[in-house]
Amino acid sequence: MAVSLTVVLVVVVVVTALVFDFTNGFHDSANAMATSVATGAFKPRTAVLIAAVLNVVGALMSTEVAKTISNGLFDEHLVTPAIVFAGLAGAILWNLLTWLFGMPSSSSHALFGGLIGAVVFTAGVHGVKVAAVLSKILLPAVIAPVVAALAAAIATWFAYRISNPKDTYSQNVFRNGQRISAALVALAHGTSDGQKTMGVITLVLIAAGVQAGGTGPQWWVVIAAGLAIGLGTYSGGWRIMRTLGRGVTDIETPQGFAAEMSSTAAILASSHLGFALSTTHVTTGSVIGSGLGRRTAVRWAVVGKMAVAWLITLPGAGLVGGVAAIVVSQGGFAGLIVTLVALTGGAGFIFHRASKTKVDADNVNDHHKVAVIPSSAPANPAKAAA
């Protein structure tokens, strides 16, 4: 019976990991395309299609980040498929909750938080390689957005000095440049976030004894994870795209180009070094930096809310993952079913709530705020008064 439960858990974990990868895709599609959609460089549907294809390509280009997750963060001898499943459950719910509020929080930190919480609650703190977490996750989370913001601010300042953004020719040059730079961000995103699910699936295969320890992801894992994040990206994630493209600062094409190129450089460098970087932190830092470089207003109230979301993502997802780990580990098959029902029910409630204040490709640029509670005001006051 124990063998059967292990097999079931491995299958469930693989499927759940791909579901997380899908949520990662739509949660982070704004990272690549929010600024291009906001400036009109890309139409919304065209933007997510290009981002989806390049996310898949990027995910197939490297496996360094995947190896960091599967072999570098946890004691693989203490990690079980049940623990990984619980961590994924915490990450998925946190991703959906922040998406509901339109908050560009880190899918990566939701994943790491869920896994760390699940490991700590069941195997203890010694199951986590603390030094690796500090150097590969927390330190880049602090440094990367600051570096990206500085780079974007300097690049934006320079762009406005060498050109006249009000000139039609300059606008066309930067708009075409944005199409290239946004595509590069999507490609870079795939090399980073596309690999994280590969690492999780590889981790569970090693924990279940299906794959040897210290090995990288298998070919079918690479392809499945790449396709999952690509499909998620194509679905849009419009709520977060509105916040990042409209909510932080008003963006013109030179800003968008500068922000996207800064993000690309930071993400590709971290992927090459194997850092499990949050692309959300990088792209948000770049957008803020572009506003500062242009000396236009930055909506610091929105930035403050985002900062709070960043701070509580790791512990929040960790708490959910830890509770789920206890239920699954102690409840056996029944605990697995209970967690699956809770995960499905929570996701269903969030999607139902989001449908009341829908943001899609048609209205993503209509406003800079994302509502969670439907407005009681009529959609057209003049018509209502008549």
Side-chain angles (χ1 to χ4, degrees):
M1 183 66 181
V3 174
S4 298
L5 179 59
T6 299
V7 172
V8 170
L9 271 172
V10 170
V11 173
V12 169
V13 169
V14 171
V15 173
T16 306
L18 294 176
V19 171
F20 166 78
D21 209 20
F22 181 88
T23 68
N24 191 348
F26 77 69
H27 201 280
D28 288 3
S29 60
N31 292 348
M33 293 298 175
T35 51
S36 294
V37 170
T39 62
F42 278 126
K43 293 182 179 179
R45 285 296 180 190
T46 304
V48 294
L49 176 60
I50 293 172
V53 172
L54 291 175
N55 259 289
V56 175
V57 174
L60 303 179
M61 288 175 59
S62 172
T63 58
E64 291 304 314
V65 176
K67 292 175 183 176
T68 295
I69 295 171
S70 61
N71 300 302
L73 300 180
F74 307 102
D75 185 340
E76 60 192 42
H77 301 293
L78 297 177
V79 175
T80 66
I83 289 176
V84 178
F85 167 71
L88 287 168
I92 290 172
L93 285 177
W94 194 263
N95 263 358
L96 293 178
L97 186 63
T98 50
W99 165 77
L100 173 65
F101 285 89
M103 282 292 104
S105 66
S106 171
S107 295
S108 304
H109 283 204
L111 174 61
F112 300 141
L115 291 173
I116 291 171
V119 170
V120 170
F121 273 53
T122 53
V125 177
H126 55 282
V128 179
K129 297 178 181 179
V130 178
V133 171
L134 290 174
S135 62
K136 296 287 188 178
I137 298 176
L138 297 182
L139 189 59
V142 175
I143 295 176
V146 176
V147 171
L150 289 173
I154 294 171
T156 301
W157 179 87
F158 188 69
Y160 277 86
R161 290 300 176 278
I162 65 173
S163 66
N164 178 11
K166 301 301 181 183
D167 177 68
T168 302
Y169 177 77
S170 294
Q171 286 191 7
N172 288 335
V173 169
F174 278 113
R175 185 172 290 110
N176 289 325
Q178 258 202 288
R179 290 166 183 157
I180 298 173
S181 58
L184 289 174
V185 176
L187 184 69
H189 182 269
T191 67
S192 180
D193 281 42
Q195 294 184 52
K196 289 164 187 172
T197 297
M198 299 177 202
V200 170
I201 295 177
T202 302
L203 178 64
V204 77
L205 293 176
I206 292 174
V210 178
Q211 184 172 329
T215 56
Q218 301 179 41
W219 66 268
W220 65 268
V221 175
V222 174
I223 293 174
L227 290 175
I229 198 169
L231 289 172
T233 302
Y234 183 68
S235 71
W238 306 109
R239 303 176 76 86
I240 296 174
M241 194 173 292
R242 173 182 285 184
T243 299
L244 196 55
R246 290 296 218 184
V248 176
T249 186
D250 294 327
I251 297 175
E252 294 182 345
T253 49
Q255 284 176 267
F257 178 75
E260 289 159 2
M261 291 305 295
S262 301
S263 297
T264 299
I267 296 169
L268 286 177
S270 68
S271 296
H272 177 70
L273 295 172
F275 290 123
L277 185 72
S278 167
T279 54
T280 300
H281 291 180
V282 171
T283 53
T284 303
S286 294
V287 170
I288 294 171
S290 74
L292 296 174
R294 183 187 158 203
R295 296 183 181 179
T296 190
V298 175
R299 297 184 180 94
W300 293 109
V302 175
V303 174
K305 292 178 182 178
M306 291 163 52
V308 171
W310 291 1
L311 289 173
I312 65 176
T313 289
L314 269 170
L319 180 61
V320 177
V323 172
I326 293 175
V327 173
V328 176
S329 297
Q330 296 187 358
F333 188 74
L336 175 64
I337 297 300
V338 168
T339 305
L340 279 173
V341 170
L343 176 60
T344 305
F349 173 79
I350 291 171
F351 278 116
H352 174 72
R353 173 60 64 181
S355 68
K356 302 295 184 181
T357 54
K358 189 175 182 181
V359 180
D360 56 23
D362 296 324
N363 66 5
V364 65
N365 282 332
D366 288 356
H367 204 275
H368 67 272
K369 292 184 178 180
V370 175
V372 177
I373 300 175
S375 174
S376 57
N380 189 333
K383 184 177 179 180

